[in-house]
């Protein structure tokens, strides 16, 4: 069917191709011409590798090559791919319903997931908002903070303080609290709200605590307290904004400053949640409870898009008593039953296994093996925390060329900017991890 005034598309362009392709060249030509990929130019400058299956810690390319996955599909696939337990959860849920609206209806998978999230997260976090992606979870967190202060009769408190080097997602509100330089705020001036930014925490995770590291942040919170609704940060490990690990004392100091000056603390654990840093949540390194917590990525073990924003009872009740009478948010696919069911299965699978041991082994092995990169002239720094390993280069990398070299070496690693990093599935065996770290050393030796 074609709309008046438009020309009908050829069957091929309208979807005649199916991607059980024997001939991938046509399909890839379509991909390059028509499909955006994340942070990538369109039109063939950055062709993508076709993947036809994923199993355990391996991605299977269309030409049959099998790559060891160092990315967990961006922090998410912590149990590896095609996991029988998670597959069973999806199939089981599919038998009763794939989706129903959450407005006026509720269902078992949402309740089961809600229970687990309330139990697992720090005590004051008791109210759960289930939404569709990490960025939306951050939008919801920001809206909660603003509506909270409206409910408290302090509507002027509507700005956020964020950290440089942070990453919180790609929607406009979430973007406003991302690092302003990395996030290209310039491109969106006047559209993205301007927030307050503290320097990247200078004191590293494993250095002796240096109290001066918090002083500028303290000054900003004090100065802006009347307009600040919340501080938002990635606790302990900053992810996509720079893969930087900072001192737990910094987080404790921010918590104390927020309490002293009447500012909420939002912890964005979308990347760090569910064990990635060696603790179930990164806040646990500091023994700190945020007022609002965002979860996503590994929440479903990488199976489906789902995120959650948790808040304290006081925040929820204040919002409910406020002028709007409710939280002003409600996505179409809120609490999607398939996603909730697989999240429940993923959490149970994680907690019933020995994830701490696995993450610690991965950490120790990456420390040992990535250390070999330190001697390379192009390398500035090597750092490891939990199942996150980072090699920072002195100069920005040619991402595309490096990815091609990694594929040749049989591994899947996607560097960005100055950084080459690994965040393998927790189930990765030592031998496979050695192939990954060896490939990094070999490829960076050529750089
Ligand atoms: C990935 C990420 C987000 C955004 O999540 P999406 O699901 O990509 O929208 C937000 N915050 C942090 C810390 C993240 O790592």
């Amino acid at each position: 069917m074609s709309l008046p005034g438009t020309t009908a598309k050829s069957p091929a362009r309208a979807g005649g191709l199916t991607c059980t392709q024997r001939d991938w060249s046509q399909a890839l030509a379509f991909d390059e011409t028509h499909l955006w990929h994340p942070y990538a130019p369109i039109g063939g400058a950055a062709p993508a590798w076709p993947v036809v299956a994923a199993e355990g810690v391996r991605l299977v390319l269309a030409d049959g090559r099998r790559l060891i996955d160092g990315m967990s599909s961006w922090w998410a696939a912590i149990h590896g791919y095609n996991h029988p337990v998670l597959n069973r959860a999806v199939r089981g849920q599919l038998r009763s319903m794939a989706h129903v609206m959450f407005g006026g209806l509720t269902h078992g998978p949402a309740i089961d997931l809600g229970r687990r999230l309330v139990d697992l997260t720090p005590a004051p976090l008791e109210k759960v908002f289930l939404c569709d992606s990490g960025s939306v979870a951050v939008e919801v967190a920001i809206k909660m903070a603003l509506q909270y202060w409206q409910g408290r009769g302090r509507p002027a408190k509507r700005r956020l303080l964020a950290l440089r080097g942070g990453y919180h997602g790609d929607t406009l509100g979430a973007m406003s609290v991302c690092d302003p330089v990395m996030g290209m705020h310039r491109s969106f001036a006047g559209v993205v709200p301007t927030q307050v930014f503290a320097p990247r925490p200078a004191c590293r995770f494993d250095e002796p605590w240096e109290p001066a590291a918090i002083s500028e942040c303290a000054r900003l919170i004090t100065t802006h307290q009347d307009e600040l609704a919340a501080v938002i940060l990635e606790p302990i490990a900053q992810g996509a904004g720079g893969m930087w690990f900072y001192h737990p004392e910094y987080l404790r100091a921010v918590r104390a400053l927020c309490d002293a000056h009447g500012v909420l603390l939002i912890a964005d654990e979308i990347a760090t949640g569910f064990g990635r840093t060696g603790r179930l949540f990164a806040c646990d390194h500091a023994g700190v409870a945020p007022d609002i917590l965002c979860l996503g990525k590994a929440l479903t073990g990488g199976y489906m898009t789902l995120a959650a924003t948790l808040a304290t009872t006081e925040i929820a009740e204040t919002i409910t008593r406020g002028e709007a009478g409710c939280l002003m948010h409600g996505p179409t696919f809120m609490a999607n039953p398939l996603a909730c069911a697989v999240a429940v299965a993923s959490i149970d699978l994680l907690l019933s296994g020995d994830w701490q041991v696995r993450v610690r082994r991965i950490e120790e092995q990456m420390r040992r093996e990535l250390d070999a990169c330190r001697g390379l002239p192009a390398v500035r720094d090597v750092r490891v925390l939990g199942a996150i390993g980072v090699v920072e280069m002195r100069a920005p990398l040619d991402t595309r060329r490096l990815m091609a070299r990694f594929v040749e070496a049989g591994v899947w690693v996607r560097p960005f900017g100055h950084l080459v990093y690994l965040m393998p599935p927790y189930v990765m065996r030592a031998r496979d991890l050695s192939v990954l770290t060896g490939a990094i050393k070999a490829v960076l030796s050529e750089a």
Side-chain angles (χ1 to χ4, degrees), residues 75 133-136 138 167-170 234 240 268-271 297 305:
W75 316 86
S133 74
S135 301
V136 174
V138 170
Y167 177 76
H168 298 286
D170 288 346
E234 296 154 278
D268 177 351
E269 294 234 22
I270 290 165
K297 291 200 163 104
T305 178

Side-chain angles (χ1 to χ4, degrees), residues 12-28:
R13 288 187 62 209
L17 293 170
T18 62
C19 282
T20 50
Q21 314 290 335
R22 246 177 245 115
D23 177 15
W24 269 92
S25 60
Q26 271 188 44
L28 288 178

Side-chain angles (χ1 to χ4, degrees), residues 21 76 164 179 277 308 340 358 400 430:
Q21 314 290 335
R164 288 187 186 269
D179 184 278
T277 67
C340 289
R358 288 170 183 274
R400 180 69 212 167

Side-chain angles (χ1 to χ4, degrees), residues 43 81 215 241 312 344 405 423:
Y81 302 90
S215 56
T312 63
V344 167
R405 287 288 296 112
M423 42 217 193

